[in-house]
Amino acid sequence: MPEDQPKGSAEYINRLNKIQVLNLIRESGEISRAEIVKKTGLSAPTVTRIVDNLINAEKLVEQVGVGISSGGRPPMIVRFNGEDSYVVGVDWGRTHIFGILSNLNGDVLEELDVQTESNDNFDEDLQSAIRLIEKLIKGSGIDTRKLHGIGVAAAGFINKKSDIIEYSPNFKWKNVDIRKPLAERFRVPVIVDNVSRVMAHGELLYGIGDHCKDFIFINVGYGIGAGIIVEGKSFTGYDGMAGEIGHNRIVSPAAGGLRCACGKMDCLECYSSGRGIAELAREKIKYYKDSALGRVSEITTEVIAEYARRGDELALQLFNQAADLLGISIASMANVFNPQAIVLGGKVIKAGNFFIERINRVFQREIIQQPSRKIKVIQSRLGDEAAVKGAVSLILREVLELNV
């Protein structure tokens, strides 16, 4: 909220009212001004003034027709206008950078996926990201004056007070700044956040958030992280590092004294992440002479998942162990936060129903039993686009808060 609008001032109250009306219009799809009055409790003149401003000045709302009258003047129908406003979303991964350019409705106009060298060189990857964004803008042919901003999902411990990635175990980055060089190059707002939290925010605005405002998004990919949504808002903790479930130490007979990429011992990531599962397979294959994994040229998490579905003993053992430890860890988070749902996403979750079902069984066994309801464990609606759609949603959030 702008510092020149003290709480209680007319400007502050007007801003809050405008944000309330704008968000209601977007969530409703199409809605009449009369319905806005009913649902917000604001007066009809106030709603008329705000809606007219959102249509004529902000260009974020458009009038789409006239509703059926039940007596008196017919209702004027309005909707959120995101078709002519644009944003770039970037999923900055370990081995590739995936970007989309979409409008604020989430419709993708252009997408691009580029491979990176996996050499932990931040400056080289930054140049790859810049070239990708330039190609997205050029390829889409949009008016750059209508680009509202760039959202970036990146793995690492991001200090939200400084926007610095203090450390990324996946990349071995220390104290890198993604936001500043991109903002200077493209002259638009840039928001960078932890990939798991970004995926959770994407799910909030483009996925289950249409009916669920309290959930935990578990991202099981190269690493493991969690995004926590409480009452429709992202919970970040004191300085932005909440949700690092992957770097909690497991207490289990499975713990074998493995050192995590973060430097600690026996983190959940060592056993349940894509990286951890693949490393364990390469280490254990010598003890499983009959495993088909010993005959493949490269042992990857995708290959292990395929053989697990076929019943290969080693592959299935690794995925079952990963599922058990995930189920216990996720239940611990659920017992603390009491969410409405758990959303599973990330590439490892695509291993198959056997994996998800086992996670869910262990989770239901470990959570505090609630006779009145059962916490649902579901897959993300957004699939492989969870991170880029989430990155887009970072800018959409700022638009809906009237910050850009």
Side-chain angles (χ1 to χ4, degrees):
M1 197 66 65
E3 295 180 358
D4 60 351
Q5 292 183 3
K7 291 183 178 180
S9 69
E11 291 84 0
Y12 177 85
I13 293 172
N14 179 63
R15 182 183 174 85
L16 289 183
N17 289 340
K18 188 186 289 188
I19 291 171
Q20 181 186 12
V21 170
L22 178 59
N23 280 267
L24 176 60
I25 292 171
R26 181 187 175 275
E27 291 174 1
S28 300
E30 294 185 357
I31 188 171
S32 70
R33 299 186 190 211
E35 280 297 309
I36 296 173
V37 171
K38 289 180 184 178
K39 291 186 177 183
T40 62
L42 299 173
S43 69
T46 297
V47 167
T48 296
R49 174 175 52 79
I50 290 174
V51 171
D52 285 346
N53 179 266
L54 290 171
I55 292 173
N56 299 315
E58 305 286 356
K59 309 293 186 185
L60 292 173
V61 171
E62 62 181 350
Q63 187 168 303
V64 293
V66 178
I68 299 173
S69 174
S70 58
R73 297 177 61 185
M76 307 304 293
I77 308 299
V78 295
R79 72 179 178 191
F80 180 70
N81 178 21
E83 293 180 4
D84 201 31
S85 298
Y86 307 100
V87 60
V88 169
V90 177
D91 174 10
W92 195 319
R94 179 72 176 82
T95 58
H96 73 111
I97 302 174
F98 179 41
I100 64 172
L101 188 146
S102 80
N103 60 28
L104 290 180
N105 288 337
D107 303 319
V108 177
L109 281 69
E110 195 80 10
E111 65 178 54
L112 190 61
D113 196 349
V114 298
Q115 298 296 310
T116 57
E117 295 298 324
S118 303
N119 59 5
D120 303 320
N121 188 313
F122 172 72
D123 291 329
E124 287 184 9
D125 282 357
L126 176 62
Q127 293 307 311
S128 294
I130 289 173
R131 289 192 295 271
L132 176 141
I133 296 169
E134 290 173 339
K135 290 179 180 178
L136 287 173
I137 294 172
K138 183 177 180 180
S140 67
I142 65 164
D143 181 346
T144 55
R145 293 171 297 181
K146 296 180 179 180
L147 181 66
H148 281 264
I150 299 168
V152 181
F157 308 146
I158 300 178
N159 188 320
K160 292 306 292 178
K161 294 183 177 181
S162 64
D163 285 332
I164 297 293
I165 299 179
E166 294 186 350
Y167 180 59
S168 174
N170 287 358
F171 292 94
K172 305 298 187 295
W173 292 341
K174 290 185 178 179
N175 297 316
V176 302
D177 188 346
I178 292 175
R179 188 198 64 80
K180 185 177 179 181
L182 292 184
E184 289 177 347
R185 169 63 185 82
F186 294 101
R187 302 296 181 183
V188 293
V190 176
I191 301 175
V192 180
D193 207 347
N194 174 271
V195 61
S196 300
R197 194 155 51 235
V198 170
M199 294 168 86
H201 204 273
E203 195 70 36
L204 176 67
L205 288 187
Y206 295 116
I208 70 165
D210 56 4
H211 66 275
C212 178
K213 305 296 184 186
D214 289 84
F215 63 88
I216 299 175
F217 189 104
I218 305 295
N219 172 27
V220 188
Y222 186 80
I224 299 173
I228 305 162
I229 302 295
V230 179
E231 295 182 350
K233 295 187 180 299
S234 182
F235 177 80
T236 63
Y238 173 67
D239 56 7
M241 298 187 191
E244 290 295 342
I245 183 176
H247 296 289
N248 286 335
R249 186 170 187 168
I250 66 166
V251 180
S252 165
L258 301 181
R259 184 171 296 279
C260 182
C262 74
K264 300 196 294 94
M265 300 297 294
D266 286 328
C267 290
L268 178 64
E269 280 197 7
C270 296
Y271 302 89
S272 298
S273 70
R275 178 184 66 237
I277 292 170
E279 288 179 355
L280 281 170
R282 296 180 195 115
E283 176 190 329
K284 291 178 177 292
I285 189 64
K286 56 180 175 285
Y287 304 111
Y288 290 80
K289 301 300 183 182
D290 295 331
S291 174
L293 292 176
R295 298 188 290 275
V296 300
S297 58
E298 183 180 5
I299 297 177
T300 66
T301 313
E302 291 81 6
V303 170
I304 301 167
E306 173 62 29
Y307 282 103
R309 290 190 291 271
R310 297 181 188 179
D312 182 271
E313 182 184 2
L314 174 57
L316 194 56
Q317 180 190 104
L318 290 172
F319 265 93
N320 285 344
Q321 175 179 275
D324 291 348
L325 296 174
L326 277 167
I328 293 169
S329 299
I330 297 167
S332 295
M333 286 195 74
N335 287 338
V336 173
F337 286 96
N338 184 35
Q340 183 180 348
I342 299 293
V343 182
L344 302 178
K347 292 187 180 302
V348 178
I349 293 299
K350 295 165 59 180
N353 289 334
F354 78 97
F355 187 52
I356 296 170
E357 289 169 1
R358 185 156 180 140
I359 292 171
N360 191 25
R361 282 199 304 272
V362 175
F363 172 82
Q364 299 299 342
R365 185 192 73 204
E366 296 293 328
I367 60 169
I368 297 171
Q369 297 302 315
Q370 303 173 74
S372 61
R373 72 176 182 90
K374 186 176 181 179
I375 298 175
K376 294 181 179 180
V377 178
I378 61 176
Q379 275 189 273
S380 170
R381 288 185 183 178
L382 304 182
D384 289 340
E385 292 190 339
V388 285
K389 283 289 185 74
V392 166
S393 77
L394 295 178
I395 304 300
L396 175 59
R397 176 187 61 190
E398 294 301 296
V399 171
L400 295 175
E401 293 292 327
L402 301 176
N403 291 327
V404 297

